[in-house]
Amino acid sequence: MASDKSPSPKAATPLADLLSYMAEQAPNKYAGKPPGGKLSEELPEVDYFQKTWSRLSTGLRLQQSQRQVPENAGPLNSSHLIHRSLLLMQERSPGYLQHFLSYIDTLSWMEQLTADTTLPPAKPSVKNPAKPPAKSAAKTPARAAAQKRTRKAR
């Protein structure tokens, strides 16, 4: 006879207990709406974590921007101007700054994705410093002596 290998109710694992508890709580927590129907009906936790991550990411970007500004940067230093504009955006419209940084991240990612790595590296424009420059034929001693002889013979 084949033995039945299904687990007995007494041998329930902690994971099974957790899953059954979550199944019991889910209908009450979301008022009967199945999660993930439309994008606008995301779980509240997902929305909360997205907003939190966006705020943290914006703060980190502002700190990176501050670190790139030299200590004695003048008012027209490009790093200083960029940092000031980001701070002004954060002050006036934090939501716009988050969208702006997201847009910049996307453009940067697309640039890395489409970078053509099949091209050979550009040849250096500097001449080989190991080779001495070629001397002019008229300036070598043998050539100069030969030119003097031809002038005297004329």
Side-chain angles (χ1 to χ4, degrees):
M1 291 189 156
S3 63
D4 189 14
K5 298 213 176 197
S6 62
S8 65
K10 294 178 184 177
T13 64
L15 180 60
D17 292 339
L18 177 63
L19 289 174
S20 65
Y21 174 76
M22 289 173 63
E24 292 171 6
Q25 296 299 317
N28 298 332
K29 187 170 185 175
Y30 303 109
K33 293 181 184 177
K38 293 182 182 176
L39 290 178
S40 61
E41 297 177 7
E42 289 182 353
L43 300 174
E45 290 85 359
V46 172
D47 189 40
Y48 169 76
F49 284 116
Q50 283 177 339
K51 287 179 182 177
T52 303
W53 177 253
S54 181
R55 275 195 324 270
L56 289 173
S57 177
T58 301
L60 289 173
R61 288 300 182 105
L62 288 172
Q63 288 176 359
Q64 283 177 338
S65 171
Q66 176 65 39
R67 282 186 293 229
Q68 291 179 355
V69 177
E71 287 183 27
N72 297 328
L76 297 179
N77 180 284
S78 60
S79 298
H80 183 72
L81 289 172
I82 290 171
H83 182 67
R84 279 184 34 205
S85 65
L86 292 175
L87 288 177
L88 186 61
M89 266 190 250
Q90 182 187 30
E91 180 184 317
R92 302 286 181 187
S93 179
Y96 180 79
L97 176 62
Q98 291 173 355
H99 286 288
F100 178 76
L101 291 175
S102 173
Y103 179 71
I104 297 299
D105 285 340
T106 303
L107 287 177
S108 175
W109 177 79
M110 288 175 64
E111 181 181 25
Q112 290 174 2
L113 182 68
T114 60
D116 189 8
T117 58
T118 60
L119 295 176
K123 293 182 180 179
S125 61
V126 179
K127 293 182 181 179
N128 189 356
K131 279 185 162 182
K135 293 182 180 179
S136 171
K139 294 187 178 181
T140 61
R143 182 73 175 167
Q147 284 180 349
K148 284 183 185 177
R149 280 186 240 138
T150 56
R151 285 185 197 150
K152 289 181 182 178
R154 287 187 192 170

